[in-house]
Amino acid sequence: MPTDPRLIPALAVGGAIALGTAVAGGLIGQGLVNARVGDRTVTVRGLAERDVRADLAVLPLKFTASGDVLGDVQARIDADLSTVRAFLARQGYPADAVTLGQLSVADTQSREWGSQQNGPRYILSQTVVVRTGDVARVQSTSRALSELVRQGVVLQDYVGPTYVFTGLNKVRPEMIGQATAAAKTGAQRFAQDSGAALGPIRQATQGSFEILARDEVDAEGSTPDKKVRVVTTITYGLR
């Protein structure tokens, strides 16, 4: 059956699909033009990143003592606690930056431990937590912990301090603006390349903010140097 010649332009326009990628600065833009006449759109993503530094550090110090006489083990834990407190005072921490955690007592001959016969009967653990905004001081303290070891304090399960960035609300508005501007730049490039004019925003979605380690070799919490990232997704009309 022959095709009506009048339908050819409409079919050609109605079936046209355009896919594009626009990159501008830190932008990763990806666009799709809808296949319906009069309802063409382009969807782009705008990326904003910023290097930040942690403004809070948490340093847990867990130390242990063991023996067969509970009173003696408790006395050693108390002595170690005094040693740790004195060490932290020399490091320059105020008293309100140091918190005493719960004392843990394990009896290796109890049912929970399977009535262990070898080794000391009692194992006591005490934790002291330093929480401060003085990140540089905590870094210095971490490097000086060998002093505690030389004084006989047995540190257990030490994994280092955790560094936290709490200033997300301060950088959020500006970063959203940067991501939105990057998305618009990509949309304008796409519209220009496709021979169309950029219309108004049809839909906009803000992705979640991510806080990452600045360098990929680090775990996020183990380094004070971090990167904040957000991606916005915006759909523009095309004219």
Side-chain angles (χ1 to χ4, degrees):
M1 179 178 178
T3 302
D4 188 338
R6 292 172 298 175
L7 298 179
I8 293 177
L11 291 173
V13 175
I17 296 178
L19 227 254
T21 301
V23 178
L27 164 73
I28 302 175
Q30 182 176 355
L32 171 64
V33 178
N34 289 341
R36 292 180 294 169
V37 176
D39 191 26
R40 297 186 303 161
T41 60
V42 58
T43 298
V44 291
R45 293 190 180 120
L47 169 68
E49 292 184 333
R50 175 175 297 189
D51 288 340
V52 298
R53 187 165 176 82
D55 52 10
L56 173 66
V58 180
L59 176 63
L61 297 175
K62 181 179 180 181
F63 46 96
T64 65
S66 59
D68 294 321
V69 180
L70 183 58
D72 294 344
V73 181
Q74 178 68 68
R76 288 203 298 274
I77 279 288
D78 291 341
D80 286 349
L81 178 58
S82 297
T83 300
V84 171
R85 286 189 180 278
F87 167 76
L88 294 176
R90 289 194 300 274
Q91 290 290 310
Y93 296 103
D96 60 1
V98 180
T99 303
L100 183 64
Q102 184 176 3
L103 176 68
S104 172
V105 180
D107 182 353
T108 61
Q109 295 183 17
S110 66
R111 180 177 301 175
E112 289 79 5
W113 283 77
S115 299
Q116 177 180 321
Q117 298 298 321
N118 298 324
R121 175 171 180 175
Y122 297 104
I123 302 174
L124 273 64
S125 300
Q126 178 69 67
T127 301
V128 171
V129 180
V130 177
R131 182 183 178 90
T132 177
D134 194 342
V135 173
R137 189 178 302 277
V138 170
Q139 289 182 291
S140 176
T141 300
S142 297
R143 294 189 290 268
L145 287 177
S146 58
E147 179 181 335
L148 282 177
V149 177
R150 286 195 296 270
Q151 295 181 67
V153 177
V154 180
L155 295 177
Q156 183 183 41
D157 303 327
Y158 178 72
V159 294
T162 298
Y163 298 102
V164 183
F165 175 66
T166 66
L168 187 58
N169 286 337
K170 295 180 181 179
V171 302
R172 186 192 303 269
E174 187 175 351
M175 290 190 64
I176 291 175
Q178 291 171 345
T180 301
K184 185 174 182 179
T185 299
Q188 289 172 332
R189 176 69 61 83
F190 184 91
Q192 179 182 349
D193 292 345
S194 62
L198 192 65
I201 293 177
R202 299 286 186 85
Q203 184 178 1
T205 303
Q206 175 198 312
S208 300
F209 276 80
E210 294 182 280
I211 301 179
L212 311 168
R214 185 191 64 185
D215 303 312
E216 294 184 0
V217 296
D218 295 317
E220 185 271 321
S222 69
T223 174
D225 298 311
K226 302 179 186 296
K227 177 188 298 182
V228 179
R229 172 185 295 169
V230 65
V231 177
T232 59
T233 303
I234 302 178
T235 298
Y236 289 90
L238 293 178
R239 296 193 292 261

